[in-house]
């Protein structure tokens, strides 16, 4: 077989080509190891940054979340905002999970965000009860005094009281819970007074004495007489 000169030349260069190829593999391996190390460092730094973000979110939540009854107007927006921030943290955790798996790194438990998520659900429940109670009170406030259903109000107050008692076992020192409880207890304490005022033994002289006391003349038998009478003849809040 006649071997061509080009093939003989290639054969002569085979050893040097092989050596060059092995050198290239070594260099690539070195670069890959460095890239892997850099990626791991970046991942650990990102993990540390995320951990810091989790702690900052928790601190901000404890500082600014709507735990006070005076924050009623801004409570829904704040709850939605913190839910969005928690969702962003969870999304970032998922994004980092694949990289952590490559290096067999276990992410530290994110107890802060888990606790915040739970408390957001409790806050949503509490503020929902607040709105529900305020709605009921508005109906009672402007309902005819002579037609107030004391039994129904007492039942509603008792049910809300039970729910508040259960919630108080899960949350501590939330002013909104205390304020709502005071509202409910105040209404419950008012019911015996309503019953006394609607007693058949009440005479006009008794009503006159009451009107003189509160500085307001009104007709207790008229449809316009409600718990919302200003100034109120009795405290109902």
């Amino acid at each position: 077989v006649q071997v061509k000169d080009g093939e003989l030349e290639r054969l002569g260069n085979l050893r040097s080509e092989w050596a060059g190829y092995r050198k290239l593999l070594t260099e690539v391996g070195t670069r890959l190891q460095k890239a892997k190390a850099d990626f791991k460092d970046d991942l650990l730094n990102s993990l540390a940054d995320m951990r810091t973000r989790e702690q900052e979110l928790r601190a901000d939540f404890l500082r600014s979340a709507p735990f006070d009854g005076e924050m009623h107007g801004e409570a829904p927006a704040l709850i939605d905002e913190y839910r969005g921030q928690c969702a962003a943290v969870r999304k970032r955790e998922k994004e980092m999970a694949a990289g952590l798996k490559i290096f067999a790194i276990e992410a530290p438990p994110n107890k802060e965000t888990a606790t915040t998520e739970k408390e957001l659900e409790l806050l949503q429940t509490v503020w929902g009860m607040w709105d529900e109670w305020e709605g009921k009170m508005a109906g009672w406030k402007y309902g005819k005094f002579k037609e107030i259903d004391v039994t129904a109000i007492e039942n509603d107050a008792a049910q809300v009281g039970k729910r508040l008692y259960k919630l108080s076992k899960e949350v501590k020192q939330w002013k909104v819970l205390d304020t709502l409880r005071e509202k409910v207890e105040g209404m419950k304490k008012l019911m015996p007074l309503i019953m006394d005022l609607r007693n058949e033994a009440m005479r006009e002289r008794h009503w006159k004495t009451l009107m003189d006391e509160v500085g307001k003349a009104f007709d207790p038998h008229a449809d316009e007489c409600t718990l919302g009478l200003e100034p109120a003849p009795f405290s109902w809040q």
Side-chain angles (χ1 to χ4, degrees):
V1 177
Q2 183 68 36
V3 180
K4 297 179 180 180
D5 293 340
E7 292 177 342
L8 290 173
E9 183 179 357
R10 292 173 62 189
L11 178 61
N13 294 332
L14 185 58
R15 290 185 181 276
S16 61
E17 292 288 342
W18 174 247
Y21 177 68
R22 292 184 63 182
K23 181 181 179 182
L24 177 62
L25 288 178
T26 302
E27 292 174 351
V28 170
T30 301
R31 290 199 296 267
L32 285 174
Q33 288 298 325
K34 185 179 184 304
K36 186 176 181 181
D38 290 343
F39 176 62
K40 184 177 181 179
D41 289 341
D42 290 342
L43 189 64
L44 291 174
N45 289 334
S46 296
L47 190 61
D49 290 342
M50 187 174 71
R51 180 62 180 158
T52 299
R53 172 59 186 143
E54 293 165 357
Q55 294 171 343
E56 290 175 346
L57 173 58
R58 180 61 182 168
D60 183 67
F61 176 78
L62 292 175
R63 182 173 53 252
S64 305
F67 298 118
D68 195 308
E70 295 182 358
M71 302 177 71
H72 175 259
E74 54 189 318
L78 283 173
I79 290 174
D80 287 343
E81 178 182 344
Y82 283 116
R83 277 180 170 163
Q85 294 186 44
C86 287
V89 168
R90 294 306 189 189
K91 180 181 179 181
R92 181 58 179 154
E93 287 178 338
K94 290 182 179 180
E95 292 172 348
M96 296 182 62
L100 294 174
K101 187 176 181 180
I102 292 174
F103 298 101
I105 299 175
E106 185 175 353
N110 185 359
K111 296 181 180 179
E112 289 86 354
T113 303
T115 302
T116 298
E117 289 169 333
K118 179 180 178 181
E119 291 180 351
L120 281 170
E121 292 299 322
L122 291 173
L123 275 174
Q124 184 72 52
T125 299
V126 172
W127 283 110
M129 292 175 60
W130 178 290
D131 290 337
E132 179 183 346
W133 183 255
E134 287 288 303
K136 289 180 179 293
M137 289 183 71
W140 298 329
K141 180 177 180 179
Y142 297 108
K144 298 177 182 178
F145 178 74
K146 60 185 179 181
E147 296 179 358
I148 293 175
D149 190 337
V150 173
T151 301
I153 294 176
E154 288 178 334
N155 289 339
D156 285 342
Q159 291 177 5
V160 174
K162 290 179 181 178
R163 293 168 63 189
L164 288 173
Y165 176 74
K166 291 181 179 179
L167 281 171
S168 66
K169 294 182 178 180
E170 299 187 67
V171 297
K172 306 294 182 183
Q173 300 178 343
W174 284 9
K175 291 184 179 180
V176 60
L177 204 63
D178 294 335
T179 303
L180 181 54
R181 185 184 295 109
E182 291 172 2
K183 287 177 175 286
V184 175
E185 290 300 320
M187 180 59 77
K188 288 170 64 176
K189 292 178 180 179
L190 181 59
M191 291 303 99
L193 173 60
I194 300 299
M195 294 294 291
D196 290 341
L197 290 174
R198 294 203 320 201
N199 192 301
E200 294 181 356
M202 282 287 291
R203 297 291 183 262
E204 293 303 320
R205 67 177 183 274
H206 300 144
W207 284 111
K208 185 178 184 306
T209 300
L210 178 60
M211 293 177 204
D212 292 340
E213 183 68 24
V214 300
K216 175 75 175 183
F218 56 92
D219 182 357
H221 310 293
D223 291 345
E224 293 76 15
C225 182
T226 69
L227 291 179
L229 188 66
E230 298 292 348
F234 28 75
S235 175
W236 68 284
Q237 294 187 349

